[in-house]
Amino acid sequence: MTGVDESRKLREVAEQAAKLVRVPLLDAFRSNIAVDYKVDLHDVVTRHDKESEVAIRAFILDRVPDSSVLGEEDGASGAGRVHWYVDPIDGTANFARGLAFWCVSVGAVIDDEIVAGAVYDPVAELMFSADLSGAWLNGAPLRSRSVADERHATLITGYPVARDLRLDGRERSLAHFGELAETFSALRRPGSAALSICHVAAGWVDAAAGFGVNAWDVAAAILILRQAQGAYLPLTLGKVGVEARDFMCPGYVALGEGADYPTLMRIARDISDRRDAAAAGRPKLSVAGGKP
C-alpha cells in the first residue's frame, strides 16, 4: 500500500518532470512548427512531442528507477512498481497552431491506483498537482466549485469530433451537441482533456466531458480533480469492461463540487451505452429521444 510520504515524493518528481520541458516547448510555441499525422488528419504530432517525452522518460527513470513509463509517442519502457503515464503535450493541435491551451501531463500509478500527478500549463505558468494528501495550484490548496443548475453552468467538451460522427452517427451526434448547447449557459471546445479537467478542479468551469481519451491524457488530472473535491465519472464506450480502472476508460464526465447536471449525464450515458451495445453486437433502444 502506498503511503502519503511516498506519494508526495512522486508528486515532486511529476512536477519536476513536467517543468523539465518548459523552455524548449515555449521556445517552439508560435514558431514555424512542422506537423505530422498519426491515425488521420485530426491526430497531429510534432517532433517536440517526441523530444519532450524522451526527456521526461529519462528523468523519471533516473529519479525513480523502480518505474515503468508509458508515453503517448514511444510506448512503454521499464518494468518497475511505479507506473507512469506521460503526455508530453496534451493539446498538440493547439500547440502547433499557436493556441495557448495545451499542457504537459505526468501521472503515477501504483497497484492500479493513481497516487500522484502533475499537469503543467507552461504558457500561463500554472502547475496543477496532487498526491494522496491533497491537490494544489502553484502550491496553494485547490478546491473545485460548480454552480448547481446546468442552465447556469459552463461545459467544456470536444464532442462531437469526426470520430464521434462516425461511431454515433451524424444525426445523433449533432442532436446531442445541440441539446448540450441549448441547455448549458456556455459550451466551449478548447482541446486538451487534462487541462480541461484541471480547470474544473480549479472552479474555473463547471464540467467537462470527453469521449476519446487515453490513460496518459487523464491519469494525473483525475487525481487532481478528486483531491479538489470534484467528481470524475468514467465511461467504458465499448472499449473496456466495467471492471477497468477509471484512468483506462476512454470516456469521462468531470464535475466540480456541487454540480447536478441531468442532461449531461443522460447524454453521456446514452453515448456510452450505445457504444457498449454496439461492441457487444446487440441493439440499443433510444433513451435520449432520437432514433435507435
Side-chain angles (χ1 to χ4, degrees):
M1 184 160 179
T2 307
V4 171
D5 287 345
E6 182 181 17
S7 76
R8 284 176 177 154
K9 292 177 182 177
L10 295 175
R11 172 177 57 82
E12 291 172 0
V13 172
E15 290 176 348
Q16 292 164 2
K19 273 197 169 182
L20 180 70
V21 295
R22 173 183 179 272
V23 171
L25 290 182
L26 287 180
D27 285 347
F29 184 52
R30 292 177 176 161
S31 67
N32 187 20
I33 297 176
V35 301
D36 201 354
Y37 302 93
K38 294 186 284 187
V39 176
D40 55 32
L41 294 178
H42 305 285
D43 196 1
V44 174
V45 67
T46 74
R47 69 177 179 85
H48 306 287
D49 297 78
K50 298 174 182 178
E51 291 170 358
S52 296
E53 185 173 309
V54 168
I56 292 171
R57 185 187 302 268
F59 178 84
I60 289 173
L61 293 175
D62 178 67
R63 292 293 305 273
V64 188
D66 188 17
S67 292
S68 65
V69 181
L70 178 64
E72 179 175 10
E73 307 307 331
D74 290 326
S77 60
R81 168 174 168 265
V82 185
H83 300 279
W84 297 86
Y85 293 88
V86 174
D87 194 341
I89 307 176
D90 186 43
T92 298
N94 290 345
F95 170 78
R97 293 298 298 135
L99 179 61
F101 199 86
W102 52 274
C103 63
V104 183
S105 178
V106 181
V109 172
I110 297 177
D111 296 330
D112 287 334
E113 296 294 335
I114 311 166
V115 298
V119 173
Y120 180 52
D121 176 347
V123 178
E125 277 284 0
L126 299 175
M127 174 63 77
F128 304 89
S129 62
D131 58 33
L132 296 181
S133 68
W136 297 270
L137 171 56
N138 290 348
L142 194 61
R143 185 69 178 259
S144 72
R145 64 188 184 278
S146 292
V147 300
D149 189 335
E150 62 186 1
R151 295 172 301 173
H152 300 153
T154 296
L155 168 67
I156 290 180
T157 183
Y159 186 91
V161 296
R163 176 187 60 250
D164 300 316
L165 296 175
R166 183 176 68 253
L167 291 173
D168 301 334
R170 178 181 293 268
E171 182 179 356
R172 180 173 297 279
S173 298
L174 295 178
H176 284 326
F177 179 77
E179 189 172 3
L180 292 172
E182 290 172 338
T183 299
F184 281 82
S185 177
L187 190 154
R188 300 291 181 261
R189 299 167 61 90
S192 163
L195 204 50
S196 295
I197 295 166
C198 286
H199 278 227
V200 178
W204 299 335
V205 295
D206 301 290
F211 300 88
V213 297
N214 296 287
W216 49 76
D217 300 314
V218 297
I222 290 172
L223 184 65
I224 293 165
L225 175 64
R226 286 180 171 160
Q227 292 294 72
Q229 307 306 310
Y232 185 89
L233 310 170
L235 303 169
T236 53
L237 298 177
K239 296 291 187 181
V240 297
V242 294
E243 74 287 349
R245 306 304 300 176
D246 46 14
F247 58 90
M248 298 302 294
C249 291
Y252 72 89
V253 173
L255 302 171
E257 187 177 24
D260 179 17
Y261 301 158
T263 304
L264 174 60
M265 294 310 304
R266 171 173 51 80
I267 288 173
R269 289 188 176 117
D270 182 58
I271 293 168
S272 190
D273 287 349
R274 287 179 177 278
R275 294 193 193 178
D276 285 340
R282 63 180 187 273
K284 175 69 173 70
L285 297 178
S286 174
V287 297
K291 298 177 182 178

